[in-house]
Amino acid sequence: MRWSRYFLPTLREDPKDAEAISHKLMVRAGLIRRLGSGAYSYLPFGLRALHSAIAIVREEMNRAGAQELLMPAMQPVELWKQTGRYDVLGDVLIRFKDRTGKEVALGPTHEEVVTDLLKEIQSHKQLPVTVYQIQNKFRDEPRPRFGVIRSKEFLMKDAYSFDVDTEGLNTSYQAMYDAYQRVFARCGLTVLACEADPGIMGGDVSHEFMAPAESGEDRVVRCTACGYAANLDAARCGESIVHSPQSTEKPKPLEAVRTPGKHTVEQVSQFLKVPPAKLIKTLLYDVGKDNHVAVLIRGDHEVNEAKLARAVGSAHLKLSSAQTIERLSHAPLGFTGPVKLDGVRLLADHAVMRVVNGVSGANQDQTHLINVNPGRDFQAGTVADLRLVTAADACPACGKPLAFVTAIEVGHVFKLGTKYTQALGAVVQDSSGAAKPMVMGCYGIGINRILAAAIEQRHDDQGIIWPPALAPFQVVVTVMEAGTAEHLQAGEAAYEALTKAGLSVLLDDREHSPGSKLKDADLVGIPVSVIVGKAWQSGQQLEVRLRATKETVRVSRDGLVETVHKLLDKAQSQ
């Protein structure tokens, strides 16, 4: 491909609407252009990279025994209503009515559709089966950001396994887990396989594959001692024994104190001269159907809503309004407490139950209680791990310190069990002749995010540094003086030799200044550059440069192909 004829517009300045490094560089290097909020066009250069990622994913899915199919993006909402996810997704589900008045959704994922499709399987002898597709998905994200990292339309590989029992699911899940490790290794990504919360997908077990990145939306908790890793939503806190030992302090009599205008943790802590760890925050949540719960969290901790959702068995969680809080507690916002909070189920985090002589709202305006003691002054109906892990927590696996890492989720695998097959009637006869729902797993990879994560992890001040497996082209041949016939002829000869050797090559034959050409080559990040310039003019030699390290060697035309292969191998191993 000749750059002079190739639609590869590059920009010198960062786009004003871009925050993430990957977003800036994908626009500047001519991979994408924004059409609207959360929607991007892929230019030829970007599409080549996308196709490289797709090829790797497809090869590894086929290698793992999965079968490729393609399902409609338009889905009847009746399927979503049968599984209960129509209401759970709410406005994220993009819906419209066709000309007959029937409501249709643009698929954000395909669990319902694939389960309905595979209902044709009737016998355990036809199992196990794993199918996958690579297709556009649609989600009306409330806040699209970071370019293709969080968009309303995105390309996803979604796979689904169907087995006769849990043992079969475990085997299918492990096969996909291993395939994901191979995919991301081949793409040149560093990833952490983390424990994760299944969320709206359902099931009991899931893992996310997280690519550490400066612009990552997610936070990962990692133990460098034992290798434990978890998404912040799923990170276990245990009972906080390590940094919250049982106090030897004796309980004191409960007492109400006036705290005029003091309703935040910081204000109350300073006013009463007690540490935030002594405060018991009482947060009221609506959990659907006019039901409410009170969540008790220590003042220096935060509620983990993913854990709370699992504890109450409802995905319909939202903080109660000020009006609801006043109705239930008989006090304004900021003065709610667990003592004599009647008619509301109390859920307490483990750390709260270890507080002695704590402070809480008094359910009375401008008043708090001091010397509050769990068990004596209130009874929690549920005691569980309900909070976000903090830097003060120890690894739940080995007790060593934890580190926090920002990351991009590039893959997610779930053990769904029978959530969808039971709801949609996807049953088979087992070996005894009994009918039972198939046991299901699902496995997603964000294809667009592979590119963004690779750029986040591999860039410098000059631009992108592509891993060879994802690079739109493996080699760029830069003719410094394209207006000079001899130089252009040498560049074309190098281009032909490399192309015949099976390499993908971009020939920069533009009549631009040498400096702008070198800057463009660094910006777009092609792994190896072959430069026809001063070395050719003085000694009939080509400069071969590795983009990642700027390592440069001079070779004759005869040694070009071998040298380029060696540098590509070095780039792939870095």
Side-chain angles (χ1 to χ4, degrees):
M1 178 61 65
R2 290 174 177 268
W3 200 324
S4 61
R5 301 176 187 172
Y6 194 50
F7 182 42
L8 178 51
T10 58
L11 304 175
R12 290 285 168 254
E13 302 294 330
D14 291 335
K16 293 180 180 179
D17 64 336
E19 302 173 74
I21 293 294
S22 56
H23 187 189
K24 295 174 182 177
L25 289 176
M26 289 181 82
V27 173
R28 287 187 56 208
L31 277 80
I32 60 172
R33 288 294 184 266
R34 182 180 182 272
L35 175 64
S37 177
Y40 291 87
S41 298
Y42 276 80
L43 280 60
F45 193 68
L47 187 60
R48 287 181 70 99
L50 206 60
H51 282 163
S52 295
I54 290 170
I56 291 171
V57 169
R58 180 173 280 125
E59 287 170 12
E60 292 301 339
M61 287 299 101
N62 294 344
R63 177 181 170 187
Q67 304 171 52
E68 187 170 7
L69 46 67
L70 184 62
M71 294 174 280
M74 294 192 300
Q75 306 179 8
V77 297
E78 286 75 20
L79 289 175
W80 287 80
K81 290 178 178 179
Q82 282 181 258
T83 62
R85 292 207 300 173
Y86 180 84
D87 294 324
V88 172
L89 263 74
D91 292 339
V92 171
L93 195 64
I94 298 176
R95 294 161 286 186
F96 62 93
K97 289 185 178 179
D98 65 16
R99 66 175 61 201
T100 69
K102 184 176 181 180
E103 191 176 21
V104 179
L106 292 178
T109 182
H110 277 71
E111 284 74 21
E112 283 82 359
V113 174
V114 76
T115 303
D116 185 67
L117 178 64
L118 267 69
K119 282 163 58 173
E120 291 192 29
I121 294 176
Q122 297 182 344
S123 169
H124 70 281
K125 294 180 181 179
Q126 297 170 271
L127 299 176
V129 169
T130 299
V131 296
Y132 77 97
Q133 65 173 350
I134 298 171
Q135 194 208 58
N136 280 15
K137 309 291 185 185
F138 303 88
R139 296 179 188 176
D140 195 359
E141 293 285 355
R143 193 186 174 204
R145 60 190 305 223
F146 295 156
V148 301
I149 293 178
R150 182 163 296 280
S151 56
K152 293 186 177 184
E153 181 178 355
F154 53 95
L155 189 62
M156 182 178 176
K157 186 285 302 175
D158 46 320
Y160 307 91
S161 64
F162 293 82
D163 287 276
V164 71
D165 54 26
T166 302
E167 183 178 355
L169 168 61
N170 292 340
T171 300
S172 297
Y173 187 89
Q174 190 63 48
M176 287 293 105
Y177 186 100
D178 293 342
Y180 276 38
Q181 296 281 26
R182 295 194 299 269
V183 165
F184 299 127
R186 287 182 61 185
C187 290
L189 290 182
T190 298
V191 297
L192 299 172
C194 306
E195 294 180 7
D197 181 79
I200 64 168
M201 300 298 291
D204 297 322
V205 177
S206 77
H207 289 85
E208 288 176 332
F209 292 81
M210 308 294 284
E214 180 182 332
S215 300
E217 284 194 301
D218 294 287
R219 294 187 75 198
V220 173
V221 178
R222 179 175 61 175
C223 177
T224 55
C226 73
Y228 169 81
N231 182 293
L232 192 61
D233 283 343
R236 303 189 302 273
C237 299
E239 297 187 12
S240 306
I241 293 173
V242 174
H243 68 281
S244 180
Q246 186 67 52
S247 174
T248 57
E249 186 179 353
K250 300 296 184 183
K252 298 176 183 178
L254 188 66
E255 183 181 345
V257 296
R258 294 284 294 170
T259 53
K262 314 299 181 186
H263 53 83
T264 68
V265 168
E266 183 179 8
Q267 290 170 344
V268 175
S269 176
Q270 290 178 355
F271 184 74
L272 297 178
K273 295 180 172 54
V274 295
K278 278 277 192 179
L279 270 63
I280 299 173
K281 291 190 293 189
T282 305
L283 302 172
L284 291 174
Y285 277 84
D286 301 342
V287 292
K289 298 181 180 178
D290 201 33
N291 290 325
H292 310 278
V293 297
V295 184
L296 310 180
I297 297 289
R298 225 169 62 181
D300 57 337
H301 292 157
E302 298 296 332
V303 173
N304 184 322
E305 293 189 352
K307 293 178 182 178
L308 177 60
R310 292 178 72 82
V312 300
S314 172
H316 297 277
L317 283 181
K318 68 175 181 178
L319 284 165
S320 298
S321 66
Q323 292 80 5
T324 299
I325 291 170
E326 190 158 358
R327 175 171 61 85
L328 295 173
S329 70
H330 309 292
L333 179 68
F335 297 96
T336 308
V339 180
K340 296 183 180 179
L341 184 61
D342 300 326
V344 181
R345 177 186 171 192
L346 296 183
L347 294 91
D349 181 68
H350 289 299
V352 165
M353 303 308 291
R354 303 179 71 82
V355 172
V356 178
N357 296 327
V359 176
S360 75
N363 298 320
Q364 182 179 336
D365 192 15
Q366 310 300 316
T367 307
H368 279 76
L369 297 176
I370 62 172
N371 303 326
V372 178
N373 288 279
R376 183 194 72 179
D377 300 316
F378 66 86
Q379 299 292 332
T382 299
V383 178
D385 174 14
L386 298 174
R387 65 180 178 85
L388 294 172
V389 68
T390 71
D393 286 297
C395 173
C398 72
K400 296 296 176 60
L402 291 170
F404 290 79
V405 180
T406 58
I408 299 169
E409 177 192 341
V410 289
H412 206 153
V413 293
F414 303 82
K415 291 184 180 180
L416 298 177
T418 60
K419 174 179 177 176
Y420 298 93
T421 53
Q422 193 161 5
L424 296 170
V427 299
V428 294
Q429 282 192 333
D430 64 15
S431 57
S432 68
K436 59 190 296 186
M438 291 184 280
V439 184
M440 197 172 163
C442 77
Y443 319 92
I445 287 179
I447 305 293
N448 316 77
R449 287 186 173 194
I450 289 177
L451 303 191
I455 293 169
E456 290 283 342
Q457 292 185 350
R458 292 170 172 261
H459 69 272
D460 59 19
D461 292 341
Q462 285 75 51
I464 300 169
I465 303 172
W466 285 110
L470 290 182
F473 294 93
Q474 294 166 297
V475 187
V476 55
V477 176
T478 302
V479 183
M480 301 294 275
E481 300 288 349
T484 302
E486 182 188 353
H487 286 200
L488 183 58
Q489 187 178 26
E492 290 175 340
Y495 172 82
E496 292 294 335
L498 292 166
T499 301
K500 286 181 180 178
L503 297 170
S504 57
V505 188
L506 178 63
L507 174 62
D508 190 352
D509 60 338
R510 298 173 298 166
E511 293 189 7
H512 289 187
S513 70
S516 67
K517 288 187 172 187
L518 293 177
K519 284 183 178 179
D520 273 348
D522 282 343
L523 175 61
V524 302
I526 295 172
V528 173
S529 293
V530 176
I531 300 170
V532 182
K534 293 180 180 179
W536 181 262
Q537 186 171 348
S538 62
Q540 299 288 290
Q541 287 190 313
L542 300 163
E543 293 180 69
V544 185
R545 177 183 298 174
L546 185 61
R547 169 66 182 89
T549 63
K550 301 298 179 66
E551 174 188 346
T552 303
V553 294
R554 291 187 175 187
V555 297
S556 65
R557 186 182 297 172
D558 292 341
L560 176 62
V561 171
E562 181 182 358
T563 300
V564 168
H565 274 299
K566 286 181 179 178
L567 289 180
L568 285 170
D569 289 342
K570 181 179 286 190
Q572 188 62 38
S573 64
Q574 289 175 340

